[in-house]
Structure formats: structure tokens, C-alpha cells
Amino acid sequence: MVHLVMFDIDGTLVDSTEFDGRLYAQAIREVLGIVVDCDWSTYPHVTDGGLLEEVLRRQRIADPDGTRHRAFKQRFIAMIGDYISRDPASVREIPGAATLLGMLRHRADCRVAIATGGWRETALLKLDAAGFDLDGIALAT
């Protein structure tokens, strides 16, 4: 029997929650000109795409061709990259997470995967900054 062990990123593998939500709200202000409540628990789908769709819906902003969505996503990814470049130590591994991942990935009875509600680009930026080796690990975003 082979077991699948799946991990989330933010708060499970990587300590990035302090800046992630703040930068998300800042990108919404910059791209859409809207100030949003950062209590993400009030949103029905707490994923990067789901939050954006809900903000657009609540504000009655039409985006039929996805232009606003693409502009927001591009800006948010750039902000995360800039933040990490300026302060790489701000993205830290949750203590013991890399060791646990390493142990599990070398077991014959386990397969390891990572799943996140974040976009692939920001997930890879955070995991790389925290020093995770993703060789042989599936990543679903």
C-alpha cells in the first residue's frame, strides 16, 4: 500500500502569512482602486483566484475578457517576488517541515504532494525562498 501525504504551503510548510494577505490587499488597491477587508474568512473561496472573483463580484466590476484578472495576478506575483528579493529571510520554513518532507519522499510506501490555493508562480517563489527541494514532488495550485 502506498500513501499520499499532501501538504499546504502557507502556514504548513512556509511561514508567509504575514505578508501574503497584506500584499494581496495592496495589489487590489493598486490594480482595482478598491480597499478590501483583509478578513479572508468572510470570502466563500479562500484561494488567490477565488478571492479576486469575489472582490470583483462584490464591487460589481465586470471583467468579461479577463483583463483585470490578468493585471491583478501579474501585479501580485511581482509584489511577492519583489518582497522576497528585498527580504529573503522573511520567508521561513515552518520548523521541521523540510526534514519531514525529505523523510517522507524517501519512503517506499509514501508519495508526497503539495497543494495550495495560491497561484503556481507565488507558490514556487515562497517554496524556493524557504529552501525547499521540490524534486519529485507534485505541486497542485
Side-chain angles (χ1 to χ4, degrees), residues 8-39:
D8 184 29
I9 295 174
D10 299 305
T12 301
L13 297 176
V14 177
D15 183 6
S16 58
T17 54
E18 181 279 321
F19 67 86
D20 194 70
R22 183 171 41 81
L23 293 179
Y24 195 94
Q26 183 180 336
I28 288 174
R29 277 192 308 275
E30 289 180 17
V31 175
L32 302 175
I34 300 167
V35 175
V36 294
D37 179 3
C38 293
D39 180 1

Side-chain angles (χ1 to χ4, degrees), residues 54-106:
E54 183 65 11
V55 167
L56 293 172
R57 188 192 68 73
R58 288 180 183 184
Q59 297 296 318
R60 295 187 172 91
I61 298 173
D63 190 24
D65 63 357
T67 302
R68 289 189 168 114
H69 188 280
R70 284 188 302 277
F72 173 81
K73 183 178 177 182
Q74 182 179 14
R75 181 63 185 132
F76 180 60
I77 291 166
M79 290 173 77
I80 293 289
D82 291 345
Y83 185 89
I84 291 171
S85 292
R86 283 192 314 273
D87 187 8
S90 65
V91 183
R92 296 173 306 277
E93 166 204 358
I94 297 293
T99 301
L100 178 59
L101 235 62
M103 288 174 22
L104 290 172
R105 76 194 298 181
H106 291 102

Side-chain angles (χ1 to χ4, degrees), residues 108-137:
D109 63 341
C110 286
R111 297 296 176 265
V112 178
I114 297 172
T116 182
W119 283 308
R120 181 174 197 79
E121 297 88 345
T122 56
L124 292 172
L125 286 168
K126 294 176 207 175
L127 290 165
D128 183 58
F132 283 88
D133 174 13
L134 298 181
D135 188 43
I137 295 178

